[in-house]
Amino acid sequence: MTAPEEKTEPSPEPSKTTDIVPGPGGVMTDEVGVVTGDLTLRTELVGGDVVLRVQYKEAEEWYAVTGGKAPLADPSGLDTVHTIAVGLLNRPEG
C-alpha cells in the first residue's frame, strides 16, 4: 500500500504562470516523479525563495519541480527567473 499523494496548493505570494509542453523526459517532481504532456508552470515567491511548481493543465494539484527552489535576493527578479524556467522547460518540438 502506498501513501496518499501530497497535494500542495500554491501560495498567495507573488507568482507567474505559463502553459508549457516539456520535451521528452518531462519534468521531474518531488511528489509524483516525472510529469509529461500539457502542463502549467508556476514560479512563485515564498518567503525569500523562488519555487517552481507544475500541474497538469487545468488540474487542481500542484507539484514541486525537483531542484526548483532557490533563494531570491531581490523579489523583482521573479519575472526573470520565470522567463528562464519557461525557456528551459518548454520544449514543444522535443
Side-chain angles (χ1 to χ4, degrees):
M1 177 176 256
T2 61
E5 289 179 16
E6 180 180 39
K7 296 177 182 175
T8 307
E9 293 297 318
S11 72
E13 301 286 340
S15 65
K16 297 279 292 181
T17 59
T18 300
D19 291 337
I20 64 168
V21 178
V27 176
M28 179 63 75
T29 68
D30 294 344
E31 297 87 356
V32 296
V34 175
V35 292
T36 60
D38 293 338
L39 305 175
T40 300
L41 172 68
R42 181 180 177 106
T43 306
E44 58 189 14
L45 188 59
V46 179
D49 292 333
V50 64
V51 178
L52 301 179
R53 299 186 193 279
V54 291
Q55 71 175 173
Y56 290 104
K57 192 171 176 184
E58 299 181 17
E60 292 185 22
E61 299 85 11
W62 288 90
Y63 306 110
V65 174
T66 300
K69 180 179 179 181
L72 186 63
D74 184 352
S76 68
L78 183 70
D79 288 350
T80 302
V81 173
H82 182 72
T83 299
I84 292 167
V86 169
L88 291 170
L89 297 175
N90 189 40
R91 299 281 182 227
E93 302 299 320

